[in-house]
Structure formats: C-alpha cells, structure tokens
Amino acid sequence: MALAVGLAFAGGALAELPERQQREALRVCADGNNLPFSNQAGEGFENRIAELMADDLGVPLTYVWAPQVMGFVRNTLELRVCDVIMGTPAGYEFVQNTNPYYRSVYSLVVPEDSDLVATRLSDPAFEGRRIGVVAETPPTVPLRRSGARIQGYPLMVDTRVRAPVRDAIEDVVSGNTDGAVLWGPLAGYYAARQDPSLKLIPLVDDDSDATLDYRITMGIRHGEPHWKDWINDFIDRHQEEIDAILTEYGVPLLDRRGRLLNAQAGGDT
C-alpha cells in the first residue's frame, strides 16, 4: 500500500519553506520494488497514475526511489527532492493528504475450490483454519478471536530483499495455509497472477471492531495549498481513468458508502 504504515515523522523547518510555484517535472517519491504499487520499470498502478498526472501537467515524470520503510517521508518528501507520494492513507498526519483517489478493503484469498467464503472476520468458518496475515495489520486480532490459526508475515521489510505478501500467497497456493487476509490491492494483484488464479473475497460485510477499508490519498508537504488544489482537481477530472487503471490491477474498489464497485476485481489484468 501503500498504507504508509511505519513511515517516520518528518516535521521541522523544511516544511516551512515557501511553496514551489513552477514545476519543471512531476517529481514522485516511490518505492522502486513494490508491485502492484510501483517499481523502477514503471509497471505499478501508481506509476500509471503518475504518468497520467505528468501528462496533465505537461512536464516530464521523474522519481526518487527509496524503500518504503522507517524514514521514507523524512528522506524523500521532506528533503524536497520530490513533491508527491502517490499512495498514503487518509488522515496520515506526517503528510498533507489530498482528496482520496480510491477506497479499498482487506480481502480473503483462498483457492478457487475452497469452501471458505467468509465476507466477515467473525465468521465461524475461520475456526481452526490456518490463515496468513501480515503482522500487526488490522485483521490479526479478529481472526484470533474467531479461532483461526495465524501464520504471520513481517510488516516492515526492505522490499529489495523480502516480499511477505507474495510469500503469503504462495503458501495459499501450496496448501501450507487455508487462505490469507491481505490489503485489497495486494490481495487482488497477486491472486490473479496464480495459475489457476485464486478466489478474492473482499471483506465488505465485516462486523468486527477492526478498520478494514481505507481511503487512499496522495501525500504532499504541509503548507502547499496550491499543489493540493491542483491534485484534487486532477483526481476529480480523471477519476474514471484512475478507477479503470486500478480495476485492471485487480484492486477491489469501494464507493463512498463502502459498497463494492468492481465485483470482478480479482480477475486477470
């Protein structure tokens, strides 16, 4: 995701400098090995949306690559070497959030022939099942309450070295786990790339106390109202194109009321 979990606080004097008025390029802060979001080959959906933004601005697209681990904001956006992070959760205090450009939800990934078809974490069907979950993510506690046997994967990793979500999906494919509950964009992308593809079940009916759906914004520096206004206008004008890109990558999308927009989100891209 970039859900930006664990990104370090990066306040201070740098954020007090005047807002840039001229942009010779769209300078994006991104992880270079973090599909389906971004990579250095430009294959992620955030790369695609950034290309759309650069075209709209009429400027070249450039990147500052850094693994999205502790210190990402401090070492990129707040050093002013780049001007926007493409995916940050609404309310993330260490950046100024734009309007959301998509909303997604944690999803269950299971083999196509599985009888586990739960759309809520409190479903009794989870009892005794071995379920893969990334450590410290919201589904962990409700799944334990439901009696699931948790197979954990690390949260904060250097994506150049490890790919815990891919590991979780491979464990479902091999039968080491009965399923995995993962952030929607990751779940949809990797589920569709198995042969045969895995079943994606967005947890839209969840009644636990966990927050499973998130609105995703673009993150910019505080004190840049004109830049924020431009990006909000861009999102508004290009929302249909953005939705089409996200659907192509298998992202389960929710509308403003939390209802699933693209029922076939787990299909091939």
Side-chain angles (χ1 to χ4, degrees):
M1 150 155 104
L3 276 179
V5 177
L7 299 187
F9 173 66
L14 286 174
E16 305 300 324
L17 294 174
E19 180 175 7
R20 290 164 53 90
Q21 296 300 317
Q22 300 295 324
R23 300 190 185 276
E24 69 285 356
L26 175 62
R27 307 186 307 168
V28 176
C29 327
D31 190 319
N33 188 31
N34 194 29
L35 290 177
F37 306 104
S38 61
N39 71 359
Q40 292 192 38
E43 297 169 328
F45 65 74
E46 290 178 357
N47 296 113
R48 295 270 301 276
I49 296 168
E51 290 168 7
L52 196 63
M53 285 181 66
D55 287 346
D56 198 85
L57 274 170
V59 298
L61 171 62
T62 64
Y63 288 96
V64 171
W65 303 111
Q68 200 167 82
V69 295
M70 195 67 71
F72 179 76
V73 173
R74 180 178 63 246
N75 295 326
T76 57
L77 194 66
E78 288 303 332
L79 286 181
R80 293 182 174 265
V81 295
C82 47
D83 301 312
V84 61
I85 300 171
M86 297 304 296
T88 58
Y92 184 63
E93 63 183 313
F94 304 141
V95 300
Q96 179 180 196
N97 295 106
T98 66
N99 292 341
Y101 66 99
Y102 74 96
R103 180 181 181 183
S104 191
V105 62
Y106 274 81
S107 301
L108 172 65
V109 178
V110 294
E112 187 62 42
D113 59 356
S114 175
D115 62 351
L116 180 58
V117 292
T119 58
R120 53 190 176 90
L121 296 178
S122 60
D123 195 308
F126 280 114
E127 185 171 1
R129 306 279 189 139
R130 191 166 188 82
I131 303 296
V133 185
V134 174
E136 301 178 53
T137 56
T140 305
V141 172
L143 282 170
R144 290 192 191 279
R145 290 175 183 160
S146 296
R149 296 183 296 133
I150 301 297
Q151 171 64 51
Y153 303 88
L155 172 65
M156 297 300 293
V157 298
D158 186 333
T159 56
R160 296 169 296 187
V161 179
R162 301 196 61 177
V165 169
R166 190 169 58 212
D167 293 343
I169 292 291
E170 289 176 356
D171 278 345
V172 176
V173 172
S174 67
N176 290 335
T177 57
D178 297 301
V181 176
L182 304 165
W183 172 230
L186 294 163
Y189 179 79
Y190 284 109
R193 278 161 176 72
Q194 308 310 308
D195 187 15
S197 61
L198 300 175
K199 184 187 300 183
L200 179 74
I201 306 174
L203 296 171
V204 291
D205 298 326
D206 189 61
D207 54 3
S208 72
D209 56 0
T211 301
L212 297 186
D213 71 86
Y214 291 86
R215 293 172 175 84
I216 303 303
T217 75
M218 299 183 196
I220 63 174
R221 285 179 290 273
H222 292 284
E224 296 190 339
H226 298 297
W227 185 216
K228 179 179 178 178
D229 287 346
W230 186 91
I231 295 176
N232 285 341
D233 179 65
F234 164 81
I235 292 170
D236 185 62
R237 289 185 288 107
H238 292 277
Q239 188 65 67
E240 288 188 7
E241 293 162 274
I242 293 170
D243 288 349
I245 291 170
L246 294 166
T247 299
E248 182 181 340
Y249 280 75
V251 178
L253 297 175
L254 305 183
D255 65 15
R256 293 182 179 180
R257 296 184 180 180
R259 299 172 301 193
L260 195 64
L261 280 176
N262 50 353
Q264 302 301 319
D268 293 337
T269 65

